[in-house]
Amino acid sequence: MIYKNQRVLIFFMVLVFCFGFLVRIHGASQEIRLESQMAGTIVSPMEERKQALSTGDKVFVSLSKTIPVKKGDILEIFQQNTLTIEKNKTYPFSKAGRVIVLEIINEHLLLCVIDSSIKEIAVGDHLYYPEH
């Protein structure tokens, strides 16, 4: 009887461990992206000479491809890094914040405001369009 209870307990612990591992894998996928998924770049702040950007700052964004954005859409900011998950697989961009589209200047240039930031934002940071 005791041996049977131990087997059930061990099986339950292994099941919890596997479930926790799967949750970590799927949760991390939202925080790291590949370069091919990037849709644009922060090209300049609205204020001259401002280098360190954070929440509330307005920035100009250049889109590398035509995507169907409209005012109020949210784009995620990603910064380049050298995170290696697997031996031959690198994920060069990690999430740093997000911007909200304020104005569409033309099909490749937007005026956005930084809505939130996890890290310091800078010119050259890349953008991901989640609904694309």
Side-chain angles (χ1 to χ4, degrees), residues 31-35 78-81 91-94 126:
E31 300 296 320
I32 53 179
R33 300 277 178 197
L34 298 172
E35 185 173 9
F78 282 80
Q79 293 178 337
Q80 193 165 12
N81 63 19
Y91 295 92
F93 295 94
S94 62
H126 296 270

Side-chain angles (χ1 to χ4, degrees), residues 29-125:
S29 67
Q30 301 299 315
E31 300 296 320
I32 53 179
R33 300 277 178 197
L34 298 172
E35 185 173 9
S36 61
Q37 296 175 306
M38 297 298 118
T41 307
I42 296 175
V43 290
S44 76
M46 191 168 185
E47 293 180 41
E48 290 183 40
R49 299 182 189 181
K50 189 157 190 169
Q51 293 179 357
L53 305 168
S54 62
T55 304
D57 289 332
K58 293 180 182 177
V59 293
F60 290 101
V61 170
S62 173
L63 298 176
S64 56
K65 46 191 162 185
T66 304
I67 55 176
V69 294
K70 58 188 180 298
K71 290 181 183 180
D73 281 355
I74 296 173
L75 288 87
E76 296 175 345
I77 305 168
F78 282 80
Q79 293 178 337
Q80 193 165 12
N81 63 19
T82 56
L83 177 66
T84 304
I85 300 296
E86 295 173 13
K87 189 175 182 178
N88 297 326
K89 221 176 194 181
T90 59
Y91 295 92
F93 295 94
S94 62
K95 190 172 181 178
R98 65 185 201 168
V99 296
I100 297 176
V101 177
L102 294 178
E103 188 176 329
I104 300 169
I105 298 169
N106 63 38
E107 65 182 26
H108 291 286
L109 189 62
L110 309 172
L111 175 63
C112 301
V113 64
I114 298 174
D115 180 50
S116 66
S117 60
I118 301 166
K119 305 173 187 173
E120 188 176 279
I121 308 300
V123 170
D125 287 349

